[in-house]
Amino acid sequence: MARRREDRRGGHRIGRRAVRLPEIRCVGIRRFALVRLTILPDPGPSWHLVGTGDFNNDGNSDLVFQNSDGTPLIWTMNGTTVAASATLGNPGATTRIVGTGDFNGDGKSDLLLQAADGTPVIWTMNGSTITAGVALPNPGATTRVVGMGDFDGDGKSDLLLQASDGTPVIWTVSGTTLTAGVALPNPGPTWQAIGTDDFNGDGKADILFQSTIDGSPLIWTTNNLTVATSTILPSPGLNYHANTG
């Protein structure tokens, strides 16, 4: 069998004949490299990672877990090292952590929870200490909070909800006070809201959906609590699930 060795020009040499392999380029897709893999301590099978946030405003992301019994757990991180671990008061097994956001604009992450009956609850945080816990109006058990983002550009997180019929709703929040609620056009129940991000760099949150029919992502950019643009991206297939953050 002919010996195969790598050619310095980027091809492969088979015997005495150099075979030039085609270069494949993906336009618009960046290359990523794994720099370091760190396995953290195992919190146990009943603990589920539910979010990340900077709870002590040190510029490093921290981890949020929730136990099957409802107990939240915060790991404050220093890079890839667990610097501290603290459990919070248990809201109950039927009240689940949806995610994190900065609702009072102090630069520290807060927690957003939602009860089984639909009631959203904001826990403002100072590190791993709960400074306030406030229940917002109940939108109903069939309307779920799906993300947090700053839709009005005031530097504080707002809520994105979606009803079972597909209708997205933005709740602007100042601290723990609901200041406005705006229903957006209904894209239909087959467009599932995934979360929020700022896709056009204007400092305001936009909305990412994904089709349950063919997997196509859909981006709505928003301005002043209205849909500014709507763009359907190519479908990666139903086996791929979009995410934000």
Side-chain angles (χ1 to χ4, degrees):
M1 180 180 293
R3 185 179 179 185
R4 172 175 144 174
R5 59 195 175 113
E6 188 175 356
D7 181 62
R8 290 185 179 179
R9 294 174 297 172
H12 286 82
R13 186 178 296 275
I14 302 177
R16 295 183 178 180
R17 181 169 60 90
V19 179
R20 186 70 175 176
L21 298 180
E23 182 180 358
I24 301 175
R25 296 182 179 180
C26 297
V27 178
I29 300 177
R30 297 179 180 178
R31 295 179 179 179
F32 294 92
L34 178 64
V35 177
R36 184 175 61 182
L37 174 65
T38 302
I39 298 177
L40 301 178
D42 183 1
S46 63
W47 292 98
H48 308 285
L49 184 64
V50 293
T52 61
D54 184 3
F55 289 91
N56 55 0
N57 198 22
D58 66 350
N60 295 321
S61 293
D62 307 309
L63 304 182
V64 185
F65 300 84
Q66 190 169 25
N67 196 283
S68 299
D69 70 359
T71 303
L73 168 68
I74 293 177
W75 281 4
T76 54
M77 304 294 296
N78 183 10
T80 57
T81 300
V82 181
S85 176
T87 55
L88 307 180
N90 189 347
T94 61
T95 297
R96 310 308 297 177
I97 296 173
V98 178
T100 66
D102 183 6
F103 294 101
N104 54 5
D106 66 352
K108 300 177 182 178
S109 292
D110 307 308
L111 293 177
L112 192 283
L113 306 90
Q114 190 169 24
D117 69 355
T119 303
V121 179
I122 292 176
W123 283 2
T124 57
M125 305 292 297
N126 182 12
S128 56
T129 300
I130 302 170
T131 57
V134 177
L136 300 180
N138 188 348
T142 61
T143 298
R144 309 306 297 176
V145 180
V146 294
M148 279 71 68
D150 184 6
F151 286 97
D152 54 6
D154 67 350
K156 301 174 183 178
S157 295
D158 307 306
L159 305 185
L160 172 66
L161 305 91
Q162 189 174 31
S164 58
D165 69 354
T167 303
V169 180
I170 294 174
W171 282 4
T172 58
V173 179
S174 180
T176 56
T177 302
L178 175 62
T179 57
V182 178
L184 302 180
N186 188 350
T190 61
W191 287 103
Q192 181 179 2
I194 303 299
T196 70
D197 213 328
D198 182 4
F199 291 101
N200 57 1
D202 66 351
K204 298 177 182 178
D206 305 309
I207 303 172
L208 174 66
F209 299 85
Q210 189 168 23
S211 170
T212 59
I213 301 298
D214 64 1
S216 296
L218 166 65
I219 293 176
W220 281 4
T221 59
T222 69
N223 186 30
N224 296 324
L225 309 183
T226 61
V227 179
T229 65
S230 177
T231 305
I232 297 177
L233 303 180
S235 172
L238 285 172
N239 292 328
Y240 292 88
H241 305 286
N243 206 343
T244 58

Tab-separated table of all heavy atoms in Angstrom, residues 71-101:
chain	number	residue	atom	x	y	z
A	71	THR	N	-35.104	24.059	45.531
A	71	THR	CA	-34.065	24.888	46.160
A	71	THR	C	-33.094	25.442	45.117
A	71	THR	O	-32.506	24.677	44.350
A	71	THR	CB	-33.267	24.073	47.195
A	71	THR	OG1	-34.159	23.535	48.157
A	71	THR	CG2	-32.236	24.939	47.891
A	72	PRO	N	-32.881	26.779	45.082
A	72	PRO	CA	-31.881	27.357	44.178
A	72	PRO	C	-30.485	27.296	44.806
A	72	PRO	O	-30.326	27.323	46.040
A	72	PRO	CB	-32.329	28.813	44.018
A	72	PRO	CG	-33.710	28.884	44.601
A	72	PRO	CD	-33.748	27.816	45.648
A	73	LEU	N	-29.486	27.240	43.952
A	73	LEU	CA	-28.087	27.202	44.375
A	73	LEU	C	-27.283	28.101	43.444
A	73	LEU	O	-27.425	28.010	42.220
A	73	LEU	CB	-27.556	25.767	44.310
A	73	LEU	CG	-26.047	25.545	44.432
A	73	LEU	CD1	-25.568	25.894	45.833
A	73	LEU	CD2	-25.682	24.109	44.083
A	74	ILE	N	-26.473	28.988	44.032
A	74	ILE	CA	-25.604	29.859	43.240
A	74	ILE	C	-24.152	29.482	43.496
A	74	ILE	O	-23.721	29.396	44.648
A	74	ILE	CB	-25.828	31.347	43.582
A	74	ILE	CG1	-27.217	31.794	43.141
A	74	ILE	CG2	-24.765	32.225	42.901
A	74	ILE	CD1	-27.542	33.233	43.517
A	75	TRP	N	-23.430	29.252	42.419
A	75	TRP	CA	-21.977	29.107	42.487
A	75	TRP	C	-21.368	30.395	41.952
A	75	TRP	O	-21.519	30.705	40.765
A	75	TRP	CB	-21.493	27.941	41.631
A	75	TRP	CG	-21.668	26.587	42.254
A	75	TRP	CD1	-22.266	26.283	43.436
A	75	TRP	CD2	-21.246	25.332	41.688
A	75	TRP	NE1	-22.247	24.925	43.650
A	75	TRP	CE2	-21.630	24.316	42.608
A	75	TRP	CE3	-20.597	24.967	40.515
A	75	TRP	CZ2	-21.370	22.962	42.366
A	75	TRP	CZ3	-20.350	23.627	40.280
A	75	TRP	CH2	-20.725	22.644	41.197
A	76	THR	N	-20.728	31.181	42.805
A	76	THR	CA	-19.974	32.332	42.313
A	76	THR	C	-18.639	31.802	41.807
A	76	THR	O	-17.993	30.979	42.453
A	76	THR	CB	-19.775	33.397	43.406
A	76	THR	OG1	-19.188	32.798	44.563
A	76	THR	CG2	-21.088	34.017	43.804
A	77	MET	N	-18.256	32.294	40.640
A	77	MET	CA	-17.110	31.741	39.936
A	77	MET	C	-15.986	32.761	39.820
A	77	MET	O	-16.217	33.971	39.698
A	77	MET	CB	-17.528	31.296	38.528
A	77	MET	CG	-18.686	30.309	38.487
A	77	MET	SD	-18.285	28.712	39.223
A	77	MET	CE	-17.004	28.147	38.090
A	78	ASN	N	-14.765	32.258	39.854
A	78	ASN	CA	-13.579	33.037	39.524
A	78	ASN	C	-12.913	32.318	38.357
A	78	ASN	O	-12.147	31.379	38.550
A	78	ASN	CB	-12.639	33.132	40.725
A	78	ASN	CG	-11.422	33.991	40.433
A	78	ASN	OD1	-11.351	34.658	39.411
A	78	ASN	ND2	-10.447	33.968	41.321
A	79	GLY	N	-13.284	32.725	37.161
A	79	GLY	CA	-12.848	31.984	35.993
A	79	GLY	C	-13.540	30.634	35.966
A	79	GLY	O	-14.763	30.550	35.950
A	80	THR	N	-12.752	29.566	36.028
A	80	THR	CA	-13.307	28.215	36.049
A	80	THR	C	-13.215	27.580	37.429
A	80	THR	O	-13.318	26.362	37.569
A	80	THR	CB	-12.581	27.330	35.023
A	80	THR	OG1	-11.170	27.334	35.299
A	80	THR	CG2	-12.814	27.836	33.607
A	81	THR	N	-13.028	28.422	38.449
A	81	THR	CA	-12.946	27.938	39.826
A	81	THR	C	-14.190	28.355	40.595
A	81	THR	O	-14.599	29.519	40.539
A	81	THR	CB	-11.704	28.511	40.534
A	81	THR	OG1	-10.534	28.106	39.823
A	81	THR	CG2	-11.623	28.014	41.978
A	82	VAL	N	-14.792	27.413	41.322
A	82	VAL	CA	-15.938	27.738	42.168
A	82	VAL	C	-15.420	28.453	43.414
A	82	VAL	O	-14.760	27.851	44.259
A	82	VAL	CB	-16.723	26.470	42.569
A	82	VAL	CG1	-17.929	26.849	43.420
A	82	VAL	CG2	-17.168	25.700	41.337
A	83	ALA	N	-15.704	29.767	43.510
A	83	ALA	CA	-15.196	30.565	44.626
A	83	ALA	C	-16.088	30.460	45.859
A	83	ALA	O	-15.609	30.546	46.988
A	83	ALA	CB	-15.067	32.028	44.204
A	84	ALA	N	-17.394	30.289	45.655
A	84	ALA	CA	-18.335	30.187	46.779
A	84	ALA	C	-19.588	29.476	46.303
A	84	ALA	O	-19.921	29.490	45.112
A	84	ALA	CB	-18.683	31.565	47.331
A	85	SER	N	-20.270	28.854	47.243
A	85	SER	CA	-21.503	28.134	46.946
A	85	SER	C	-22.530	28.484	48.010
A	85	SER	O	-22.229	28.453	49.204
A	85	SER	CB	-21.236	26.624	46.940
A	85	SER	OG	-22.422	25.894	46.738
A	86	ALA	N	-23.739	28.862	47.572
A	86	ALA	CA	-24.770	29.271	48.533
A	86	ALA	C	-26.141	28.822	48.049
A	86	ALA	O	-26.511	29.065	46.902
A	86	ALA	CB	-24.759	30.787	48.715
A	87	THR	N	-26.893	28.170	48.931
A	87	THR	CA	-28.279	27.825	48.619
A	87	THR	C	-29.184	28.959	49.077
A	87	THR	O	-28.905	29.642	50.065
A	87	THR	CB	-28.705	26.519	49.316
A	87	THR	OG1	-28.481	26.637	50.722
A	87	THR	CG2	-27.910	25.337	48.790
A	88	LEU	N	-30.273	29.168	48.342
A	88	LEU	CA	-31.244	30.207	48.666
A	88	LEU	C	-32.493	29.561	49.255
A	88	LEU	O	-32.621	28.332	49.287
A	88	LEU	CB	-31.601	30.996	47.409
A	88	LEU	CG	-30.428	31.573	46.603
A	88	LEU	CD1	-30.940	32.331	45.391
A	88	LEU	CD2	-29.559	32.466	47.465
A	89	GLY	N	-33.411	30.396	49.720
A	89	GLY	CA	-34.664	29.895	50.245
A	89	GLY	C	-35.443	29.136	49.181
A	89	GLY	O	-35.437	29.504	48.007
A	90	ASN	N	-36.107	28.079	49.582
A	90	ASN	CA	-36.824	27.220	48.639
A	90	ASN	C	-38.202	27.797	48.323
A	90	ASN	O	-39.058	27.892	49.201
A	90	ASN	CB	-36.970	25.815	49.223
A	90	ASN	CG	-37.505	24.815	48.221
A	90	ASN	OD1	-37.997	25.175	47.164
A	90	ASN	ND2	-37.408	23.541	48.568
A	91	PRO	N	-38.450	28.176	47.029
A	91	PRO	CA	-39.774	28.704	46.655
A	91	PRO	C	-40.811	27.601	46.458
A	91	PRO	O	-41.983	27.894	46.252
A	91	PRO	CB	-39.498	29.424	45.341
A	91	PRO	CG	-38.394	28.627	44.730
A	91	PRO	CD	-37.530	28.178	45.889
A	92	GLY	N	-40.356	26.338	46.491
A	92	GLY	CA	-41.258	25.215	46.264
A	92	GLY	C	-40.965	24.523	44.945
A	92	GLY	O	-40.466	25.146	43.998
A	93	ALA	N	-41.276	23.248	44.890
A	93	ALA	CA	-40.916	22.450	43.722
A	93	ALA	C	-41.666	22.855	42.458
A	93	ALA	O	-41.214	22.567	41.349
A	93	ALA	CB	-41.168	20.973	44.016
A	94	THR	N	-42.802	23.533	42.594
A	94	THR	CA	-43.588	23.915	41.416
A	94	THR	C	-43.273	25.325	40.921
A	94	THR	O	-43.873	25.791	39.947
A	94	THR	CB	-45.092	23.818	41.715
A	94	THR	OG1	-45.428	24.698	42.783
A	94	THR	CG2	-45.464	22.389	42.098
A	95	THR	N	-42.353	26.003	41.595
A	95	THR	CA	-41.903	27.326	41.145
A	95	THR	C	-40.495	27.175	40.607
A	95	THR	O	-39.582	26.814	41.345
A	95	THR	CB	-41.939	28.350	42.289
A	95	THR	OG1	-43.291	28.520	42.739
A	95	THR	CG2	-41.405	29.702	41.824
A	96	ARG	N	-40.336	27.428	39.327
A	96	ARG	CA	-39.068	27.160	38.668
A	96	ARG	C	-38.368	28.447	38.255
A	96	ARG	O	-38.998	29.451	37.921
A	96	ARG	CB	-39.280	26.283	37.427
A	96	ARG	CG	-40.103	25.039	37.666
A	96	ARG	CD	-39.596	24.191	38.821
A	96	ARG	NE	-38.244	23.668	38.587
A	96	ARG	CZ	-37.567	22.942	39.477
A	96	ARG	NH1	-38.078	22.698	40.670
A	96	ARG	NH2	-36.360	22.494	39.186
A	97	ILE	N	-37.050	28.409	38.305
A	97	ILE	CA	-36.243	29.539	37.848
A	97	ILE	C	-36.265	29.575	36.322
A	97	ILE	O	-35.955	28.588	35.664
A	97	ILE	CB	-34.800	29.424	38.352
A	97	ILE	CG1	-34.759	29.495	39.876
A	97	ILE	CG2	-33.928	30.528	37.748
A	97	ILE	CD1	-33.384	29.210	40.465
A	98	VAL	N	-36.653	30.726	35.775
A	98	VAL	CA	-36.695	30.903	34.319
A	98	VAL	C	-35.349	31.378	33.797
A	98	VAL	O	-34.878	30.956	32.745
A	98	VAL	CB	-37.800	31.895	33.923
A	98	VAL	CG1	-37.813	32.113	32.420
A	98	VAL	CG2	-39.160	31.397	34.397
A	99	GLY	N	-34.714	32.290	34.543
A	99	GLY	CA	-33.432	32.815	34.109
A	99	GLY	C	-32.989	33.973	34.967
A	99	GLY	O	-33.529	34.207	36.056
A	100	THR	N	-32.019	34.720	34.478
A	100	THR	CA	-31.452	35.838	35.214
A	100	THR	C	-31.566	37.117	34.400
A	100	THR	O	-31.653	37.099	33.171
A	100	THR	CB	-29.970	35.591	35.546
A	100	THR	OG1	-29.215	35.550	34.321
A	100	THR	CG2	-29.789	34.282	36.293
A	101	GLY	N	-31.549	38.242	35.103
A	101	GLY	CA	-31.554	39.559	34.481
A	101	GLY	C	-31.234	40.590	35.536
A	101	GLY	O	-31.254	40.282	36.734
